[in-house]
Amino acid sequence: MATPTHKTATAAHIRNFCIIAHIDHGKSTLADRMLQGTGVMNERNAREQTLDNMDLERERGITIKASAVSVDHVWNGQTYELNFIDTPGHVDFHYEVSRALAACEGAVLVVDATQGVEAQTVANLYKAVDADLELIPVINKIDLPSAQPEERAQQVEDVLGLDAADCIMTSAKSGVGVKELLDAICDRFPAPQGDPEAPLQALIFDAVYDDYRGVVVYFRIINGRMKRGDRILMMGAKRTFQVTELGKFRPQMVKVDDPFEAGDVGYMVAAIKTLGDVNIGDTITLDTARCDEALEGYEEPVPMVYCDFYPSGDTQFDELRDAIARLHVNDASYNYEPTNSEALGSGFRCGFLGMLHMDIIQERLEREGRVSVVQTAPTVTYEIDCIGKGGEREMIQITNPAELPDPSKVKAIREPIVAAEIITPTGSIGDIMKLCDSRRGVYKNQKFLADDRQILEYDLPLAEIIYDFFDKLKSITSGYGTMDYHVTGFKQDELVKMDVLVNGDAVEALSLIVHRSKAEQRGRHLLKKLKEQIDRHLFEIPLQAALGGKIIARETIKSVGKNVTAKCYGGDVSRKRKLLEKQKKGKDRMKRIGTVDIPQGAFMAVLDSGE
Amino acid sequence: MPDHSAQAQSLYLHLPFCFHKCHYCDFYSVVDNPGPKPGTAATDAQTPRPAAATDRQPAFTRALVAELEAAHRAAPGPGLRPRTVFAGGGTPTFLRPGLWDQLLASLHQAGTLEHTTEFTVEANPETVTADLMQRLAHGGVNRVSIGAQSFQKASLDALERWHRPESVRSAVDACRAAGITNLSLDLIFAIPGQTLAMLDDDLDRLLELEPTHLSTYGLTYEPQTPLTARLRVGRVTKVDEDTERAMYARVLERLEAAGFEHYEVSNWARATPDRRYRCAHNLAYWTNANWLGLGPGAASHHHGHRWRNAPNLTRYLAHWDQSEPTGPPPTEDHERLAPEDRIGERLMLGLRLSDGIEHNWIQANVPAGHRRAAAIDELVAIGMLERTATHLRLTRRGLFVADTVVAKLL
């Protein structure tokens, strides 16, 4: 921890900006290079990709949580404070992106010189434009042999409507163009506006949990002033705290003694115990001199994808509960509540922003929480129009097929629909349209992007894209297709609940809601997959798929025919025991339902569409 | 070597020499002097003459005798007094008769065989001669286990087993002529290309020889054997599981009908009230008795402590074939199980026996409420285990899937 410092710039010399890029287009490397360019880091102390904090982020090469770094840069003989606000790069984290953008005046738009504009670049650009941000287009990776910087710059003009001549050519790898970019940020991005004398309005754009300080809140002051010792109010959460520390990330946390004013970006510590107490997008004001209105645009993040976690192997329910709660202190982006399944016992139903988000949480639970979990197949939220217990018509939301009321009470089932934008090579258009049609997509529009690229717009049921849609898209387009989507609403369709019976018992964790026209095909395929997943047992295991009481598909797992070691003499004992123990350990990691051991993979078999 | 010789109830001797390695075999063996494949080169098979330069048999015999003497010295009282002795390999009958004489003389000199009631030697039919059998019988060997494996040329070829089908009968005759009448024959089934009819023919030919004991093994593809390598590259095809099961069922049915008692997963003894043809040496393994193994690769067990001599003839000779052995002998794979794991091991071994395990032992070692007790109840409920008046044992159905059953009890 460095000693407290004073602020280096006033609003006129502050530039708040973010970088918008598609995954793999080099955002993190460019950010690192910019930090080095300002002398904050040198090659030696730079960990690769400083801004991606979590191991998981570094491993996956993506940014999951937003963060902010303040650096000084001298331009035209004057020192500027550049506040770089990082944004998550994945479709699941739209909301966090929009909050980060709201804290900025400018956005650097990175386009890969080899790959060109991608769906997410477009989607995030629209958000930046909506947030009235000034834009600097950057063509990165210009040193690669397959780079086409001039063509990409033209594409930026054609597709995004930015002047090709404004593009800055960089290679984050070699550092070419980085100084020009830093100069352009000081030159072209506007200084923050805002009235330091007005009542305090500060936007929370991120928060992290620190073992020593508790919650560290990332904020941007829009109006007013804040200093250490102030009693603050979170307007949405309606909670008050006392500010104990203010500072900036340079990139390590550095305390700042001076008050923060309109335009400043930094962090705050205020004895906040869990991330659940802080809402991204909330407005901070002074408890004693409140502003009239909160800043616009605050939304509770709405989980769209749900699944259950159950303890497996040696993990006990209590251990799982502790691990989930502990992780939640660190990452409040998911929600959870206890649930109970006849087959799987006690566990938690968790809501996520999307599939990647779900994968990340599961992995962090297992890695950081050291628990072993069985995860059920993810489902979306459904709206059920039904007759309630008292006979009155009511609308309920379910996140689990098992919660579906008796079919006789159900009037209609509505599912979430997304507006999807798919950028695809022109040659793959036909196959992508076929894919969308097979997923009950409704065609909306087709736009020209470049000679070899088109944008397809479809409305698709979310349930149809949470499993293998993205993989299919990638394989049809040889990896070149990209997609962005957001949920637009709910729509009624002919949806039914399909039950799966293992050895005669319905396994709720395997049931799913499907479109009636696809039920039989899905059922047959699901049972085939289950058959591959479940080992042969000492008895025959029938597998059935059923709608209501009607069996629509069946399979049988034959019992083990012969499995007996022929020779077991003196020298064979140890080896044989170890072999059998290995066999048994494999079983221990499975979930026992009745007398059948079901591996984790079986629960995910539900996801395979069989197309 | 741990000093456990005194309590050893059984003695195993590993004689590693072979004239050819069969492709399914993963026992430790060495081929110093390759013999001709019978029926290919010479018209009459003879014990191949060793070439002096690579002949390690005399040194090995000296070394084994030295290891035996050391074991005697380590044992308190009179020395090693095993009830059973088993010479396995390798091919024990490939050790030259003169060297066998030395080995047997050493055993007698030390009084090792004083309490021995069963002394078995494993034999490859091609290497059994009347002369050798007489010397063995004279030296106290009273049981011979002959690796017949099959009587079909095609099956023997598939196993790369170099003996002629007809030499099994001459081997049996040679043993009987020498006065060794307790004869066991080995049979392998589920050999690539084998049909049920071929198995039936093998069983007919086996039974014609009127052995007192039979071992029948479903072919196992052991790791790091040429056969498994061939399987991996698709040059042999496994008999499918249904056929293998049917073959095992056929073996059970035929041998029971022929008056044999099925007393272990793969072992049969001619039925007598005193059970005298059951292999006492192998029963020692399955009842977790203590035994001492000598020779390279030989395994030993003493009250839950398992180890083996390093399977390396060169190192074995370097240690034992010197006038004053120094340093510890090369041993490896030492294992001392926790009491809880020993119970699992005992269940694994004991359930291989058709008698099973005594209720008394189970009550003392598997308390009610223990996960093993629950597993036993479940296995009884689905018909894999059954309780007789005195024992818990595999049912006929459980026998076919004994490994799956036992894995639940470890």
Side-chain angles (χ1 to χ4, degrees):
Chain A
M1 178 86 202
T3 46
T5 58
H6 297 286
K7 279 172 44 179
T8 52
T10 53
H13 287 89
I14 290 175
R15 297 292 182 268
N16 297 322
F17 69 98
C18 58
I19 301 182
I20 293 173
H22 187 75
I23 296 172
D24 289 341
H25 280 197
K27 181 178 69 170
S28 298
T29 317
L30 184 61
D32 281 0
R33 196 58 74 176
M34 287 163 70
L35 297 185
Q36 284 169 19
T38 60
V40 165
M41 292 195 309
N42 55 38
E43 299 261 3
R44 202 184 281 176
N45 69 17
R47 271 189 316 175
E48 279 279 294
Q49 303 187 3
T50 304
L51 289 165
D52 287 346
N53 276 317
M54 278 189 276
D55 288 346
L56 211 59
E57 292 185 338
R58 217 164 287 121
E59 273 168 34
R60 293 194 176 209
I62 54 168
T63 306
I64 300 163
K65 296 292 291 176
S67 59
V69 175
S70 303
V71 295
D72 291 340
H73 180 62
V74 177
W75 178 64
N76 272 358
Q78 304 197 37
T79 301
Y80 287 78
E81 179 182 293
L82 309 188
N83 292 312
F84 169 31
I85 295 165
D86 197 18
T87 56
H90 190 271
V91 59
D92 286 356
F93 303 97
H94 268 322
Y95 176 69
E96 291 195 20
V97 172
S98 74
R99 293 303 82 201
L101 295 185
C104 299
E105 278 76 39
V108 173
L109 182 81
V110 182
V111 172
D112 186 313
T114 64
Q115 296 182 38
V117 174
E118 304 282 8
Q120 263 180 299
T121 328
V122 180
N124 285 337
L125 172 80
Y126 290 158
K127 286 202 193 84
V129 171
D130 285 347
D132 288 330
L133 301 193
E134 193 66 36
L135 294 161
I136 298 177
V138 167
I139 309 295
N140 191 31
K141 301 194 189 177
I142 56 166
D143 56 334
L144 288 187
S146 55
Q148 299 178 291
E150 308 308 325
E151 288 81 347
R152 296 312 174 198
Q154 192 54 47
Q155 195 186 27
V156 163
E157 178 162 329
D158 295 344
V159 179
L160 307 177
L162 304 171
D163 196 334
D166 288 344
C167 288
I168 293 176
M169 303 293 172
T170 63
S171 162
K173 215 172 140 209
S174 69
V176 169
V178 170
K179 183 170 182 314
E180 288 85 334
L181 176 56
L182 290 166
D183 289 349
I185 287 168
C186 299
D187 184 16
R188 294 199 223 164
F189 286 156
Q193 304 299 310
D195 180 2
E197 307 305 329
L200 176 66
Q201 279 181 311
L203 171 72
I204 298 176
F205 62 86
D206 199 8
V208 297
Y209 184 80
D210 180 294
D211 282 340
Y212 301 102
R213 296 178 174 84
V215 175
V216 176
V217 175
Y218 294 49
F219 66 91
R220 151 77 195 266
I221 298 190
I222 307 293
N223 287 305
R225 213 172 253 130
M226 175 162 52
K227 61 179 188 307
R228 196 171 67 221
D230 280 348
R231 184 119 208 121
I232 52 160
L233 168 74
M234 309 275 194
M235 296 183 74
K238 297 190 177 57
R239 300 201 50 175
T240 61
F241 299 96
Q242 181 139 20
V243 177
T244 58
E245 180 181 331
L246 284 176
K248 299 209 175 227
F249 294 94
R250 310 194 65 105
Q252 296 80 18
M253 292 168 87
V254 176
K255 277 188 201 169
V256 176
D257 284 344
D258 304 328
F260 276 27
E261 296 189 343
D264 270 322
V265 168
Y267 73 86
M268 171 189 89
V269 177
I272 304 169
K273 292 209 176 55
T274 85
L275 280 174
D277 293 338
V278 177
N279 297 320
I280 308 295
D282 204 351
T283 302
I284 303 171
T285 191
L286 290 181
D287 192 31
T288 48
R290 299 183 184 191
C291 62
D292 296 339
E293 273 184 10
L295 297 164
E296 276 181 17
Y298 170 67
E299 293 169 28
E300 278 281 348
V302 183
M304 272 298 152
V305 175
Y306 284 82
C307 78
D308 293 352
F309 289 144
Y310 294 96
S312 80
D314 293 336
T315 302
Q316 301 299 311
F317 174 78
D318 291 353
E319 295 170 273
L320 178 60
R321 185 190 56 209
D322 293 349
I324 287 183
R326 225 178 310 132
L327 183 59
H328 200 262
V329 167
N330 263 293
D331 184 345
S333 60
Y334 66 97
N335 63 29
Y336 66 98
E337 58 182 44
T339 187
N340 238 291
S341 149
E342 216 171 292
L344 298 165
S346 296
F348 292 93
R349 184 126 195 104
C350 301
F352 306 97
L353 302 171
M355 288 288 280
L356 176 81
H357 187 208
M358 178 182 81
D359 285 352
I360 288 167
I361 297 297
Q362 193 213 344
E363 217 171 309
R364 290 188 69 188
L365 266 182
E366 297 211 321
R367 195 183 292 202
E368 296 165 29
R370 289 193 196 84
V371 291
S372 143
V373 301
V374 164
Q375 179 205 322
T376 59
T379 63
V380 299
T381 305
Y382 291 94
E383 284 184 359
I384 314 296
D385 179 1
C386 58
I387 300 182
K389 289 206 175 64
E392 76 293 350
R393 193 74 171 260
E394 65 176 11
M395 175 77 77
I396 59 168
Q397 282 211 340
I398 65 165
T399 60
N400 184 342
E403 296 164 4
L404 197 68
D406 187 85
S408 64
K409 306 274 191 213
V410 175
K411 295 293 169 199
I413 302 180
R414 286 191 270 275
E415 62 181 338
I417 301 292
V418 303
E421 230 173 42
I422 299 164
I423 296 189
T424 165
T426 307
S428 304
I429 280 242
D431 288 333
I432 294 294
M433 290 176 108
K434 246 184 250 161
L435 173 66
C436 291
D437 291 345
S438 76
R439 299 300 174 90
R440 299 187 282 129
V442 176
Y443 171 84
K444 302 305 266 191
N445 199 5
Q446 180 174 350
K447 286 194 282 197
F448 174 84
L449 180 61
D451 285 344
D452 54 348
R453 297 283 188 95
Q454 306 272 325
I455 301 181
L456 276 176
E457 291 176 11
Y458 266 87
D459 283 350
L460 284 156
L462 179 61
E464 296 280 354
I465 61 171
I466 60 169
Y467 42 98
D468 55 352
F469 187 87
F470 200 65
D471 295 338
K472 289 266 172 359
L473 170 68
K474 285 283 175 200
S475 90
I476 288 171
T477 60
S478 312
Y480 289 109
T482 56
M483 175 172 76
D484 197 86
Y485 64 85
H486 60 276
V487 175
T488 54
F490 283 77
K491 195 176 145 208
Q492 181 181 340
D493 211 331
E494 270 213 68
L495 301 170
V496 289
K497 181 182 165 206
M498 183 165 84
D499 291 312
V500 175
L501 291 79
V502 174
N503 208 20
D505 299 325
V507 179
E508 285 292 5
L510 289 172
S511 65
L512 69 166
I513 290 175
V514 291
H515 195 262
R516 187 177 289 281
S517 67
K518 288 181 157 190
E520 205 177 311
Q521 180 221 329
R522 273 300 280 284
R524 244 183 280 129
H525 184 74
L526 169 57
L527 297 190
K528 279 215 177 68
K529 284 273 153 192
L530 273 184
K531 190 175 171 179
E532 287 167 16
Q533 289 285 340
I534 300 175
D535 287 344
R536 291 166 75 172
H537 279 52
L538 288 169
F539 43 87
E540 200 173 272
I541 304 168
L543 302 174
Q544 296 159 308
L547 294 185
K550 188 174 165 250
I551 305 295
I552 56 167
R554 83 178 74 224
E555 284 280 350
T556 304
I557 299 171
K558 284 206 303 184
S559 60
V560 179
K562 180 173 183 290
N563 180 28
V564 50
T565 306
K567 292 192 182 195
C568 186
Y569 297 108
D572 306 318
V573 176
S574 299
R575 191 173 58 152
K576 173 166 174 180
R577 202 196 71 249
K578 283 176 190 152
L579 273 174
L580 294 182
E581 265 169 5
K582 214 162 128 195
Q583 202 174 318
K584 179 171 173 289
K585 280 231 172 66
K587 289 262 186 296
D588 285 348
R589 275 198 299 275
M590 298 184 186
K591 204 71 208 180
R592 198 124 214 259
I593 294 181
T595 49
V596 181
D597 294 309
I598 302 186
Q600 159 80 66
F603 298 103
M604 299 308 278
V606 175
L607 291 180
D608 195 310
S609 63
E611 281 160 10
Chain B
M1 182 175 49
D3 171 21
H4 298 318
S5 320
Q7 291 93 341
Q9 167 190 324
S10 296
L11 175 67
Y12 175 80
L13 304 173
H14 193 78
L15 283 54
F17 301 101
C18 288
F19 62 86
H20 161 73
K21 279 194 194 198
C22 305
H23 281 199
Y24 58 92
C25 175
D26 74 335
F27 287 101
Y28 176 63
S29 63
V30 293
V31 180
D32 279 351
N33 304 288
K37 184 171 179 177
T40 54
T43 48
D44 188 30
Q46 291 177 340
T47 306
R49 291 260 158 245
T54 52
D55 181 14
R56 291 186 284 181
Q57 289 201 4
F60 165 77
T61 309
R62 284 195 302 273
L64 185 60
V65 167
E67 195 188 10
L68 256 170
E69 284 167 357
H72 273 292
R73 281 195 300 274
L80 275 180
R81 292 293 182 272
R83 306 184 68 80
T84 71
V85 179
F86 195 106
T91 308
T93 46
F94 190 53
L95 190 72
R96 292 200 295 285
L99 298 172
W100 260 112
D101 286 345
Q102 290 175 24
L103 179 59
L104 293 167
S106 158
L107 286 169
H108 280 286
Q109 238 161 25
T112 315
L113 303 178
E114 256 174 32
H115 299 142
T116 302
T117 54
E118 181 189 282
F119 186 169
T120 307
V121 172
E122 275 183 346
N124 174 308
E126 211 61 45
T127 57
V128 171
T129 61
D131 170 48
L132 177 63
M133 288 303 123
Q134 272 155 17
R135 295 183 195 223
L136 293 183
H138 182 71
V141 173
N142 57 13
R143 187 172 180 274
V144 172
S145 170
I146 299 171
Q149 320 308 10
S150 174
F151 295 86
Q152 320 273 337
K153 192 174 175 306
S155 295
L156 292 172
D157 284 349
L159 298 172
E160 279 289 316
R161 173 83 186 169
W162 286 8
H163 76 247
R164 297 161 304 163
E166 58 271 27
S167 61
V168 177
R169 174 168 285 281
S170 40
V172 167
D173 290 345
C175 292
R176 288 191 174 132
I180 303 172
T181 54
N182 193 358
L183 295 179
S184 178
L185 296 174
D186 284 359
L187 177 84
I188 294 179
F189 62 90
I191 300 165
Q194 194 182 31
T195 61
L196 269 173
M198 287 162 78
L199 173 63
D200 267 329
D201 185 64
D202 274 348
L203 288 166
D204 288 341
R205 310 263 307 260
L206 265 189
L207 293 170
E208 275 170 20
L209 296 171
E210 299 185 321
T212 51
H213 185 278
L214 289 161
S215 298
T216 59
Y217 304 116
L219 179 62
T220 307
Y221 293 81
E222 302 287 357
Q224 286 164 25
T225 58
L227 182 68
T228 302
R230 276 157 60 204
L231 177 73
R232 243 184 239 129
V233 298
R235 285 179 50 210
V236 291
T237 310
K238 251 186 186 173
V239 169
D240 70 85
E241 192 185 319
D242 288 345
T243 308
E244 195 185 337
R245 186 186 161 95
M247 286 180 167
Y248 190 38
R250 182 68 59 91
V251 170
L252 288 164
E253 176 197 324
R254 293 277 321 265
L255 297 187
E256 268 163 11
F260 283 86
E261 277 180 334
H262 183 226
Y263 72 99
E264 193 261 357
V265 168
S266 301
N267 285 279
W268 305 80
R270 171 158 294 165
T272 62
D274 64 358
R275 299 179 158 190
R276 82 173 99 141
Y277 293 120
R278 297 188 180 193
C279 177
H281 185 85
N282 288 339
L283 282 167
Y285 295 146
W286 299 317
T287 52
N288 255 2
N290 299 322
W291 74 85
L292 185 68
L294 305 181
S300 300
H301 169 252
H302 179 83
H303 291 306
H305 176 197
R306 296 183 187 281
W307 73 95
R308 72 168 69 235
N309 282 347
N312 184 324
L313 181 59
T314 309
R315 285 177 63 199
Y316 183 79
L317 295 182
H319 182 80
W320 292 109
D321 190 26
Q322 52 186 335
S323 47
E324 290 290 325
T326 51
T331 61
E332 59 186 43
D333 294 349
H334 287 265
E335 185 182 68
R336 284 184 182 81
L337 290 185
E340 182 65 13
D341 294 329
R342 284 192 71 191
I343 291 169
E345 189 183 74
R346 177 79 181 83
L347 287 164
M348 170 184 100
L349 292 170
L351 286 174
R352 290 183 68 86
L353 296 169
S354 58
D355 286 346
I357 298 175
E358 286 187 345
H359 292 316
N360 290 343
W361 184 89
I362 291 185
Q363 272 151 21
N365 292 283
V366 184
H370 190 277
R371 65 173 172 82
R372 285 194 181 108
I376 287 173
D377 286 344
E378 193 182 313
L379 289 163
V380 169
I382 61 173
M384 294 294 143
L385 293 177
E386 65 189 359
R387 293 185 172 101
T388 66
T390 51
H391 286 73
L392 175 75
R393 65 179 188 191
L394 287 170
T395 61
R396 178 53 59 95
R397 274 174 63 212
L399 177 64
F400 285 86
V401 290
D403 285 3
T404 313
V405 172
V406 163
K408 292 176 185 295
L409 302 176
L410 283 182

